[in-house]
Amino acid sequence: MNTDSKSDDRRTRARRTTLAGVRGLVLAVSVLPFSVVFLVLTLVSLALVPLGIGLVTTPMVLSGVRALADTRKRLAAEWCGVRIGSAYRPVPPGAWPWTRTSVMLRDPQTWRDVRWLPVDMTAGFVTALLPALLLFYPLEGFAVAAGLWRVEDGPYWYLFVPVQGTLTALAAAALAAVLLVVALRYTPRLLTVHFRLTRAVLGTDIGELTERVRVLTETRQDAVDTSAAELRRIERDLHDGAQARLVAMGMDLGTVEMLIERDPAQAKRLLAQARRNSAEALEELRDLVRGIHPPVLAERGLGDAVRALALRLPLPTEVTVELPGRPDAPVESAAYFAVSEVLTNAVKHSGTDRIRVDLHHADGMLRITVTDHGKGGATVGAGSGLAGVERRLGTFDGVLAVSSPAGGPTLVTMEMPCALS
């Protein structure tokens, strides 16, 4: 690994660590008050149900608890990639308070949300605070060593180091440096622990199954739409390209048949033009077939096909392939066109001067990463090329992850479950 790559890795790790610490602090500050308030409101509202007052307040309070839980699920997915499934029973619109209360109280997901509140205000608070403590506590050790933090009466204990003079202050700084190294390694993982705890309480297999059905429905529709669009493109290209040239060639040959005895010179010119039309039609058909399934992909496999893609790019592109076999043809084709789209986006929009592609297979997953050192800012938004890549991969249960901070680098990771033959 060269010096630039090592420097980029260090900056990326420092950025992730700082972000995890700040996010943990934000969570710790918000977890305790929100969880306590909603737990108290829920208990009071449920206690008032027999009096009739709770019939009105309980749906509102439980809706607030549900919104709080949904926010935590969204942050878990966005910040740490932890997916938390849930499945709420629908509440009939315009229902009477008693009906709304009854439906919500008979919903198992509602009780998971309520049980989550005391867990969140205790263990959740601790696991959210730990990343911030691990990141910011070393700053106190450095401040003590620099003389910015003084205690007049007795020694000042920095963890297990009693700071009384210069030597012990330096020992505190050394301990702070060790803690900072540990923070760089473990702070993002500690934040993930918080969200995994949330998933253990809030998550449900039913929710995951519901989400699975939703994703399969969407990807099936995307596959149908993509196939229909591809068929229309092929039909249009055949009609406007090769078919038009073949029709023109047939007309030229008909004219040659009439002129071959009366005007041999003109007949020769038309034969030469027909030959050019046939060559151009053949080239267009080859391009069309290459767009459907490139010959190099069929003959040599995904690794060599991506290498061929890299050779046609205007930028230096390094390709690393570790594939002991070949995926199934549909997976291989989807991966090829996904890489092609990502490389095209990098060349057009990133402003980078080099690109790196890595393909390998591990634990039943085909994993592809495309890295550029451009300006960053890539997002998976509606209408973007990356959104199309995500839909293409989703047809095969694949996922797309994009890390592209402002200023770069941009790292696009694609994964698809598959077996190699």
Side-chain angles (χ1 to χ4, degrees), residues 190 308 310 397 407:
L190 287 175
D397 288 340

Side-chain angles (χ1 to χ4, degrees), residues 139-149 156 158 163 168-169 172:
L139 302 180
E140 182 182 336
F142 295 135
V144 169
L148 302 177
W149 194 314
Y156 174 77
Y158 180 73
V163 181
T168 52

Side-chain angles (χ1 to χ4, degrees), residues 2-216:
N2 56 38
T3 305
D4 291 340
S5 298
K6 290 181 179 178
S7 178
D8 291 339
D9 289 343
R10 284 194 293 267
R11 284 197 295 268
T12 301
R13 182 178 297 179
R15 187 184 298 116
R16 289 180 56 210
T17 301
T18 304
L19 201 57
V22 172
R23 287 170 171 173
L25 184 61
V26 170
L27 280 174
V29 170
S30 61
V31 159
L32 202 56
F34 279 105
S35 297
V36 171
V37 168
F38 275 108
L39 180 61
V40 171
L41 288 177
T42 300
L43 295 177
V44 172
S45 184
L46 291 176
L48 293 176
V49 167
L51 300 178
I53 301 175
L55 296 179
V56 178
T57 60
T58 297
M60 293 187 293
V61 173
L62 292 181
S63 296
V65 174
R66 183 175 298 186
L68 180 65
D70 287 340
T71 300
R72 192 66 55 83
K73 296 170 192 173
R74 178 175 55 82
L75 294 179
E78 293 178 357
W79 289 358
C80 293
V82 177
R83 306 287 178 178
I84 304 176
S86 62
Y88 293 102
R89 294 179 180 177
V91 179
W96 291 94
W98 167 252
T99 302
R100 291 175 56 85
T101 302
S102 176
V103 170
M104 298 185 80
L105 291 181
R106 286 188 286 108
D107 189 347
Q109 186 63 48
T110 297
W111 292 108
R112 275 189 286 269
D113 291 348
V114 174
R115 287 197 300 268
W116 166 68
L117 292 174
V119 175
D120 193 47
M121 58 191 284
T122 52
F125 172 76
V126 173
T127 53
L129 188 60
L130 279 178
L133 286 178
L134 191 58
L135 177 64
F136 296 117
Y137 191 57
L139 302 180
E140 182 182 336
F142 295 135
V144 169
L148 302 177
W149 194 314
R150 297 180 180 276
V151 176
E152 300 297 334
D153 299 329
Y156 174 77
W157 287 88
Y158 180 73
L159 206 56
F160 55 80
V161 177
V163 181
Q164 294 176 306
T166 303
L167 188 60
T168 52
L170 293 176
L175 179 58
V178 172
L179 291 176
L180 189 59
V181 172
V182 174
L184 289 173
R185 184 175 180 85
Y186 291 105
T187 296
R189 298 183 186 181
L190 287 175
L191 187 63
T192 304
V193 168
H194 170 82
F195 289 119
R196 286 179 177 172
L197 173 66
T198 303
R199 182 173 62 184
V201 182
L202 284 179
T204 169
D205 293 338
I206 297 177
E208 293 177 2
L209 182 59
T210 303
E211 179 69 10
R212 174 70 172 159
V213 171
R214 183 189 66 80
V215 171
L216 287 177

